[in-house]
Amino acid sequence: MLYAGAQALVHLALRRDNRRPAAQVGALRAPGAGVVDHVAFRIADARAIRQRLKDCAWSYHEANVPGRGERQFFIAIPEGQVVELVTAVH
């Protein structure tokens, strides 16, 4: 993780298990896509990013982080990995 003080800004997650349920991040990743599962970035505006993803017709799904008050956007990229954008839920 990359932090600014106590705030996590970026994290890189390694793939551990290809057998995760379809609702999880691995569902967006092609089999054999490598050891990196996803990289995540903190963003400020969920509405703006949601609109931009729709406008650009990117494949993505959203999820809430239970107990954390955060919203996640998982975006499949052509190379088979996933980019996660995380924002506070207001």
Side-chain angles (χ1 to χ4, degrees), residues 13-49:
L14 300 180
R15 183 174 52 187
R16 292 193 177 113
D17 185 355
N18 282 331
R19 297 166 290 157
R20 291 197 273 174
Q24 294 185 6
V25 177
L28 295 176
R29 184 183 11 81
V35 298
V36 175
D37 184 78
H38 69 280
V39 61
F41 301 93
R42 186 161 297 280
I43 60 170
D45 189 344
R47 279 179 260 179
I49 203 67

Side-chain angles (χ1 to χ4, degrees), residues 12-79:
L12 180 67
L14 300 180
R15 183 174 52 187
R16 292 193 177 113
D17 185 355
N18 282 331
R19 297 166 290 157
R20 291 197 273 174
Q24 294 185 6
V25 177
L28 295 176
R29 184 183 11 81
V35 298
V36 175
D37 184 78
H38 69 280
V39 61
F41 301 93
R42 186 161 297 280
I43 60 170
D45 189 344
R47 279 179 260 179
I49 203 67
R50 184 183 297 112
Q51 189 60 52
R52 183 144 188 191
L53 291 167
K54 288 179 182 180
D55 290 347
C56 294
W58 278 82
S59 175
Y60 76 99
H61 77 272
E62 295 182 49
N64 284 322
V65 181
R68 302 261 323 247
E70 293 179 328
R71 186 80 176 155
Q72 299 164 299
F73 294 84
F74 296 102
I75 305 140
I77 60 174
E79 291 76 19

